[in-house]
Amino acid sequence: THMYKVKSGRNLWLTETLDWEDLMATTLNVQQLIEQNKKEWINLYITSYGGNIDIGFALYEFIRQVAKPKLQTVILRKAGSMAVVVALAGTHRIISRSGVFVFHDASQNLAEDSIIGRKSLKMMVGLLDKDIDDYIKVVSNRSKLTRREVFGLMQREDIVDAKTALKFGLVHEII
């Protein structure tokens, strides 16, 4: 399979850190492009370290389960953390020769001077464990990697280059 030609005006970008603005803009733009022509491909160019777990999963679920567009994701330079999940939402996935996937263990940001009770901390750990499980599930389901292999990538905080990403089935093509 080769990169699909996409008409101008059907190209979207995700850059920097995934935030609520990205989620709202991307979902709105994808929906509008589908309404214009459901049969035409959409490019989603990604160069991002990732970002908020909930935003990444919400965007993935919107693309895969709600909108279901003919989406081609194109990784330029990097897709890290939750940007990996968003990249895997594409029906056809491409990476540049210098592109990489960046894996790491999950973490939770806390307010600087926050005090957290035992029950709240226990709940946060439970939610983080669920997020890790969901992340591993998405990556293993959308690639050739096993759940154990994905967990290993996260624990080692690995960087996967373009050739290895192709071998792992994270992408279909290198450009």
Side-chain angles (χ1 to χ4, degrees):
T1 310
H2 295 291
M3 185 172 182
Y4 293 96
K5 299 244 186 257
V6 175
K7 292 181 180 178
S8 65
R10 296 186 68 82
N11 296 297
L12 306 174
W13 284 86
L14 275 181
T15 61
E16 303 293 324
T17 301
L18 300 175
D19 60 22
W20 290 108
E21 260 181 49
D22 291 325
L23 175 64
M24 299 309 290
T26 304
T27 55
L28 177 64
N29 289 332
V30 166
Q31 197 64 46
Q32 288 174 341
L33 291 171
I34 290 171
E35 288 170 9
Q36 288 172 11
N37 188 340
K38 188 174 180 78
K39 295 179 182 177
E40 291 286 333
W41 282 89
I42 300 168
N43 269 343
L44 177 59
Y45 291 97
I46 299 170
T47 181
S48 171
Y49 283 111
N52 183 290
I53 291 170
D54 294 325
I55 292 167
F57 279 125
L59 191 49
Y60 176 85
E61 291 171 4
F62 173 79
I63 291 167
R64 298 289 306 160
Q65 299 165 13
V66 178
K68 301 177 184 175
K70 289 176 77 174
L71 182 73
Q72 180 168 256
T73 50
V74 183
I75 296 92
L76 302 173
R77 291 298 294 161
K78 70 184 147 303
S81 190
M82 285 312 293
V84 171
V85 169
V86 176
L88 292 174
T91 305
H92 187 69
R93 301 181 301 272
I94 299 166
I95 192 167
S96 64
R97 290 189 195 294
S98 63
V100 296
F101 282 90
V102 181
F103 291 89
H104 66 85
D105 199 5
S107 59
Q108 176 68 47
N109 289 336
L110 302 175
E112 194 173 309
D113 290 326
S114 61
I115 298 173
I116 300 171
R118 189 174 58 83
K119 285 185 180 182
S120 295
L121 191 57
K122 190 174 181 177
M123 182 182 71
M124 287 173 59
V125 169
L127 289 171
L128 202 53
D129 285 344
K130 182 187 179 334
D131 290 338
I132 291 168
D133 189 57
D134 290 345
Y135 185 94
I136 291 170
K137 199 177 300 178
V138 166
V139 176
S140 63
N141 287 344
R142 302 285 294 158
S143 71
K144 297 175 186 173
L145 296 166
T146 66
R147 290 175 61 84
R148 178 176 290 234
E149 290 168 331
V150 176
F151 183 72
L153 289 171
M154 294 172 68
Q155 293 301 299
R156 291 187 306 274
E157 302 204 345
D158 270 345
I159 297 172
V160 175
D161 65 19
K163 285 183 182 177
T164 307
L166 183 63
K167 178 181 148 194
F168 287 172
L170 295 167
V171 297
H172 302 106
E173 179 181 358
I174 299 171
I175 54 169

